[in-house]
Protein backbone atom coordinates (compact mmCIF):
# COMPACT_ATOMS: atom_id res chain seq x y z
CA UNK A 1 0.00 0.00 0.00
CA UNK A 2 1.18 3.52 -0.81
CA UNK A 3 0.10 6.57 1.16
CA UNK A 4 -0.27 9.19 -1.59
CA UNK A 5 -1.52 12.00 0.67
CA UNK A 6 -2.08 15.41 -0.88
CA UNK A 7 0.71 17.81 -0.05
CA UNK A 8 0.54 21.54 -0.64
CA UNK A 9 3.98 22.36 -1.94
CA UNK A 10 5.80 25.68 -1.63
CA UNK A 11 8.24 25.79 -4.50
CA UNK A 12 10.83 28.16 -5.90
CA UNK A 13 10.75 28.61 -9.67
CA UNK A 14 14.15 28.84 -11.33
CA UNK A 15 15.18 29.58 -14.90
CA UNK A 16 18.26 30.34 -16.97
CA UNK A 17 18.24 33.29 -19.37
CA UNK A 18 20.74 33.01 -22.21
CA UNK A 19 19.60 36.08 -24.14
CA UNK A 20 18.68 39.58 -22.94
CA UNK A 21 15.76 39.58 -25.35
CA UNK A 22 14.28 36.21 -24.45
CA UNK A 23 10.93 35.78 -22.68
CA UNK A 24 12.22 34.09 -19.52
CA UNK A 25 10.18 36.25 -17.14
CA UNK A 26 6.97 35.65 -19.07
CA UNK A 27 7.78 31.94 -19.18
CA UNK A 28 8.22 31.88 -15.38
CA UNK A 29 4.87 33.64 -14.97
CA UNK A 30 3.26 30.87 -17.01
CA UNK A 31 5.14 28.25 -14.96
CA UNK A 32 3.68 29.84 -11.82
CA UNK A 33 0.19 29.30 -13.24
CA UNK A 34 1.07 25.68 -14.03
CA UNK A 35 2.26 25.12 -10.46
CA UNK A 36 -0.95 26.70 -9.16
CA UNK A 37 -3.03 24.37 -11.33
CA UNK A 38 -1.04 21.41 -9.99
CA UNK A 39 -1.88 22.49 -6.43
CA UNK A 40 1.40 24.17 -5.50
CA UNK A 41 2.33 27.64 -4.23
CA UNK A 42 5.14 29.71 -5.72
CA UNK A 43 7.34 31.05 -2.91
CA UNK A 44 9.86 32.85 -5.13
CA UNK A 45 11.15 33.17 -8.70
CA UNK A 46 14.85 33.23 -9.52
CA UNK A 47 16.60 33.77 -12.86
CA UNK A 48 20.28 33.27 -13.67
CA UNK A 49 21.80 35.02 -16.67
CA UNK A 50 24.30 32.75 -18.39
CA UNK A 51 25.73 32.28 -21.87
CA UNK A 52 24.31 28.76 -21.84
CA UNK A 53 22.59 26.34 -19.49
CA UNK A 54 25.07 24.40 -17.34
CA UNK A 55 25.16 20.88 -18.85
CA UNK A 56 25.67 19.18 -15.49
CA UNK A 57 23.68 21.18 -12.93
CA UNK A 58 21.42 23.50 -14.98
CA UNK A 59 22.52 26.45 -12.77
CA UNK A 60 26.01 27.70 -12.01
CA UNK A 61 27.59 27.04 -8.61
CA UNK A 62 27.02 30.54 -7.25
CA UNK A 63 23.32 30.49 -8.16
CA UNK A 64 22.91 27.04 -6.65
CA UNK A 65 24.23 28.39 -3.34
CA UNK A 66 21.79 31.31 -3.58
CA UNK A 67 18.85 29.01 -4.32
CA UNK A 68 19.81 26.74 -1.42
CA UNK A 69 19.72 29.71 0.97
CA UNK A 70 16.30 30.79 -0.33
CA UNK A 71 14.94 27.27 0.13
CA UNK A 72 15.97 27.44 3.79
CA UNK A 73 14.70 31.01 4.30
CA UNK A 74 11.30 30.38 2.72
CA UNK A 75 10.93 26.79 3.99
CA UNK A 76 10.26 25.70 0.43
CA UNK A 77 9.55 22.03 -0.24
CA UNK A 78 11.20 21.95 -3.65
CA UNK A 79 12.17 23.78 -6.83
CA UNK A 80 10.72 23.73 -10.34
CA UNK A 81 12.99 24.42 -13.33
CA UNK A 82 11.50 26.17 -16.33
CA UNK A 83 13.29 23.84 -18.77
CA UNK A 84 13.19 20.08 -19.11
CA UNK A 85 16.14 18.65 -17.19
CA UNK A 86 18.38 15.86 -18.37
CA UNK A 87 18.78 12.87 -16.04
CA UNK A 88 22.24 14.13 -14.99
CA UNK A 89 20.99 17.67 -14.34
CA UNK A 90 18.09 16.36 -12.28
CA UNK A 91 20.30 14.13 -10.16
CA UNK A 92 23.12 16.65 -9.69
CA UNK A 93 20.85 19.59 -8.91
CA UNK A 94 18.92 17.55 -6.38
CA UNK A 95 22.15 16.53 -4.67
CA UNK A 96 23.40 20.14 -4.64
CA UNK A 97 20.16 21.61 -3.26
CA UNK A 98 19.17 18.66 -1.06
CA UNK A 99 15.52 19.09 -1.99
CA UNK A 100 12.92 17.83 -4.41
CA UNK A 101 13.66 18.97 -7.99
CA UNK A 102 11.03 19.09 -10.73
CA UNK A 103 10.86 20.54 -14.23
CA UNK A 104 8.14 22.04 -16.41
CA UNK A 105 7.39 18.74 -18.17
CA UNK A 106 6.79 16.92 -14.88
CA UNK A 107 4.35 19.60 -13.72
CA UNK A 108 2.39 19.46 -16.99
CA UNK A 109 2.21 15.65 -16.90
CA UNK A 110 1.02 15.85 -13.29
CA UNK A 111 -1.80 18.22 -14.32
CA UNK A 112 -2.78 15.89 -17.17
CA UNK A 113 -2.85 12.93 -14.76
CA UNK A 114 -5.08 14.84 -12.34
CA UNK A 115 -7.60 15.76 -15.03
CA UNK A 116 -7.63 12.74 -17.35
CA UNK A 117 -11.15 11.29 -17.30
CA UNK A 118 -11.54 9.14 -20.44
CA UNK A 119 -9.92 5.73 -20.77
CA UNK A 120 -7.88 6.97 -23.74
CA UNK A 121 -6.73 10.04 -21.83
CA UNK A 122 -5.62 8.00 -18.82
CA UNK A 123 -3.69 5.59 -21.04
CA UNK A 124 -1.98 8.45 -22.88
CA UNK A 125 -0.98 10.19 -19.64
CA UNK A 126 0.43 7.04 -18.07
CA UNK A 127 2.33 6.26 -21.27
CA UNK A 128 3.83 9.77 -21.34
CA UNK A 129 4.78 9.63 -17.65
CA UNK A 130 6.46 6.24 -18.01
CA UNK A 131 8.45 7.33 -21.06
CA UNK A 132 9.48 10.52 -19.28
CA UNK A 133 10.50 8.79 -16.07
CA UNK A 134 12.27 5.81 -17.61
CA UNK A 135 15.58 7.63 -18.16
CA UNK A 136 15.30 9.45 -14.83
CA UNK A 137 14.77 6.55 -12.44
CA UNK A 138 17.92 7.04 -10.36
CA UNK A 139 17.55 10.70 -9.41
CA UNK A 140 13.80 10.93 -9.90
CA UNK A 141 13.05 8.08 -7.52
CA UNK A 142 15.01 9.71 -4.69
CA UNK A 143 13.27 13.00 -5.30
CA UNK A 144 9.80 11.48 -5.05
CA UNK A 145 10.66 9.59 -1.87
CA UNK A 146 11.54 12.80 -0.03
CA UNK A 147 7.95 13.93 0.42
CA UNK A 148 5.69 10.94 -0.15
CA UNK A 149 3.23 13.04 -2.13
CA UNK A 150 2.78 16.32 -3.95
CA UNK A 151 3.36 17.36 -7.56
CA UNK A 152 4.50 14.48 -9.75
CA UNK A 153 2.85 11.67 -7.78
CA UNK A 154 -0.49 11.56 -9.60
CA UNK A 155 -1.04 8.95 -12.26
CA UNK A 156 1.54 6.16 -12.06
CA UNK A 157 3.68 8.37 -9.80
CA UNK A 158 5.83 6.75 -7.15
CA UNK A 159 4.47 3.26 -7.64
CA UNK A 160 5.59 3.03 -11.26
CA UNK A 161 8.91 4.72 -10.54
CA UNK A 162 9.81 1.91 -8.15
CA UNK A 163 9.64 -0.56 -11.01
CA UNK A 164 12.78 -1.44 -12.90
CA UNK A 165 13.18 -0.57 -16.56
CA UNK A 166 12.29 -4.05 -17.76
CA UNK A 167 8.90 -3.94 -16.05
CA UNK A 168 8.32 -0.39 -17.31
CA UNK A 169 9.04 -1.48 -20.89
CA UNK A 170 6.50 -4.29 -20.50
CA UNK A 171 3.92 -1.83 -19.15
CA UNK A 172 4.61 0.59 -22.02
CA UNK A 173 4.03 -2.21 -24.56
CA UNK A 174 0.76 -3.11 -22.85
CA UNK A 175 -0.41 0.51 -22.86
CA UNK A 176 0.43 0.83 -26.58
CA UNK A 177 -1.76 -2.19 -27.33
CA UNK A 178 -4.62 -0.78 -25.24
CA UNK A 179 -4.27 2.61 -26.94
CA UNK A 180 -4.34 0.98 -30.38
CA UNK A 181 -7.62 -0.76 -29.46
CA UNK A 182 -9.15 2.51 -28.26
CA UNK A 183 -8.08 4.27 -31.48
CA UNK A 184 -9.52 1.43 -33.57
CA UNK A 185 -12.92 1.84 -31.88
CA UNK A 186 -12.73 5.60 -32.37
CA UNK A 187 -11.97 5.18 -36.10
CA UNK A 188 -15.04 2.95 -36.44
CA UNK A 189 -17.21 5.61 -34.78
CA UNK A 190 -15.69 8.33 -36.99
CA UNK A 191 -16.37 6.28 -40.10
CA UNK A 192 -19.99 5.81 -39.05
CA UNK A 193 -20.42 9.58 -38.62
CA UNK A 194 -18.95 10.22 -42.07
CA UNK A 195 -21.26 7.66 -43.68
CA UNK A 196 -24.22 9.33 -41.96
CA UNK A 197 -22.94 12.78 -43.01
CA UNK A 198 -22.84 14.05 -39.42
CA UNK A 199 -21.05 17.44 -39.38
CA UNK A 200 -18.09 17.70 -37.01
CA UNK A 201 -16.56 20.93 -35.69
CA UNK A 202 -13.55 21.49 -33.46
CA UNK A 203 -12.49 24.41 -31.26
CA UNK A 204 -8.71 24.73 -31.21
CA UNK A 205 -6.61 27.12 -29.13
CA UNK A 206 -3.87 27.51 -26.55
CA UNK A 207 -4.45 26.37 -22.98
CA UNK A 208 -6.75 28.66 -20.97
CA UNK A 209 -7.65 30.63 -24.11
CA UNK A 210 -11.40 30.20 -23.54
CA UNK A 211 -12.29 27.11 -25.61
CA UNK A 212 -14.60 25.59 -22.99
CA UNK A 213 -16.21 28.98 -22.30
CA UNK A 214 -16.92 29.43 -26.00
CA UNK A 215 -18.33 25.90 -26.28
CA UNK A 216 -20.68 26.56 -23.35
CA UNK A 217 -21.88 29.82 -24.87
CA UNK A 218 -22.55 28.19 -28.25
CA UNK A 219 -24.09 24.91 -27.12
CA UNK A 220 -24.94 25.19 -23.40
CA UNK A 221 -22.88 22.01 -22.97
CA UNK A 222 -22.04 22.80 -19.35
CA UNK A 223 -18.47 21.48 -19.61
CA UNK A 224 -16.04 22.35 -16.82
CA UNK A 225 -14.36 25.75 -17.25
CA UNK A 226 -11.81 27.21 -14.86
CA UNK A 227 -9.21 29.96 -15.00
CA UNK A 228 -6.40 27.41 -14.97
CA UNK A 229 -3.88 26.16 -17.51
CA UNK A 230 -4.77 22.78 -19.03
Amino acid sequence: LFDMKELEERVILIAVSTDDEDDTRASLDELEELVKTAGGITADKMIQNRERIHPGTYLGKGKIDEVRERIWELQATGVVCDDELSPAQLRNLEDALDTKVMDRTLVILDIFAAHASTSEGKIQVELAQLRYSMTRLAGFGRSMSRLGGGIGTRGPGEKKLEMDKRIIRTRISQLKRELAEVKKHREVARGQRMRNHVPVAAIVGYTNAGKSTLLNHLTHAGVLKEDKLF
Side-chain angles (χ1 to χ4, degrees):
L1 296 177
F2 294 84
D3 180 15
M4 305 300 285
K5 60 180 180 297
E6 286 297 316
L7 178 72
E8 186 175 72
E9 298 201 55
R10 289 173 50 82
V11 298
I12 295 175
L13 311 185
I14 55 179
V16 175
S17 175
T18 57
D19 189 334
D20 292 338
E21 298 182 358
D22 63 20
D23 59 350
T24 303
R25 292 193 179 279
S27 185
L28 272 188
D29 289 341
E30 183 180 75
L31 183 60
E32 181 177 10
E33 289 300 313
L34 288 170
V35 168
K36 178 182 176 182
T37 302
I41 297 173
T42 297
D44 198 4
K45 302 176 190 175
M46 304 178 72
I47 297 175
Q48 181 176 33
N49 296 310
R50 289 177 57 91
E51 290 185 1
R52 63 189 183 94
I53 292 173
H54 193 290
T57 55
Y58 185 64
L59 301 173
K61 185 179 184 304
K63 199 67 174 182
I64 287 176
D65 293 338
E66 186 181 338
V67 172
R68 190 190 301 114
E69 289 182 10
R70 290 298 286 164
I71 291 171
W72 183 82
E73 291 171 0
L74 299 172
Q75 295 185 317
T77 59
V79 301
V80 181
C81 300
D82 195 34
D83 298 280
E84 182 170 319
L85 301 180
S86 69
Q89 288 171 331
L90 179 69
R91 181 173 58 253
N92 294 335
L93 191 58
E94 184 190 65
D95 289 342
L97 296 176
D98 192 30
T99 193
K100 180 178 179 179
V101 175
M102 299 162 278
D103 61 16
R104 175 182 279 259
T105 303
L106 173 65
V107 175
I108 291 173
L109 288 175
D110 188 73
I111 293 170
F112 286 168
H115 293 96
S117 56
T118 65
S119 59
E120 182 177 11
K122 291 177 181 178
I123 292 171
Q124 289 175 329
V125 170
E126 183 174 352
L127 192 57
Q129 286 181 313
L130 289 174
R131 284 170 169 166
Y132 170 82
S133 66
M134 190 167 176
T135 59
R136 294 167 170 81
L137 289 177
F140 200 49
R142 289 200 310 276
S143 186
M144 290 296 103
S145 66
R146 288 181 184 275
L147 297 173
I151 297 172
T153 57
R154 282 176 275 247
E158 237 176 345
K159 290 176 284 186
K160 291 293 188 296
L161 290 176
E162 291 182 356
M163 297 179 179
D164 61 25
K165 290 186 178 182
R166 178 182 56 82
I167 297 177
I168 288 181
R169 288 193 187 98
T170 301
R171 179 59 178 161
I172 286 176
S173 297
Q174 179 186 347
L175 289 172
K176 285 181 177 179
R177 290 193 295 271
E178 292 178 8
L179 192 58
E181 285 297 316
V182 172
K183 288 182 177 179
K184 186 184 299 183
H185 288 302
R186 191 175 60 199
E187 288 297 327
V188 171
R190 181 180 292 135
Q192 184 64 41
R193 288 197 301 270
M194 292 180 66
R195 285 191 293 273
N196 294 334
H197 303 290
V198 177
V200 178
I203 301 174
V204 181
Y206 192 60
T207 175
N208 211 35
K211 299 183 296 295
S212 298
T213 300
L214 177 60
L215 177 65
N216 286 337
H217 276 296
L218 293 175
T219 67
H220 305 290
V223 299
L224 176 65
K225 58 181 181 65
E226 291 183 298
D227 186 17
K228 291 182 179 180
L229 300 184
F230 298 109

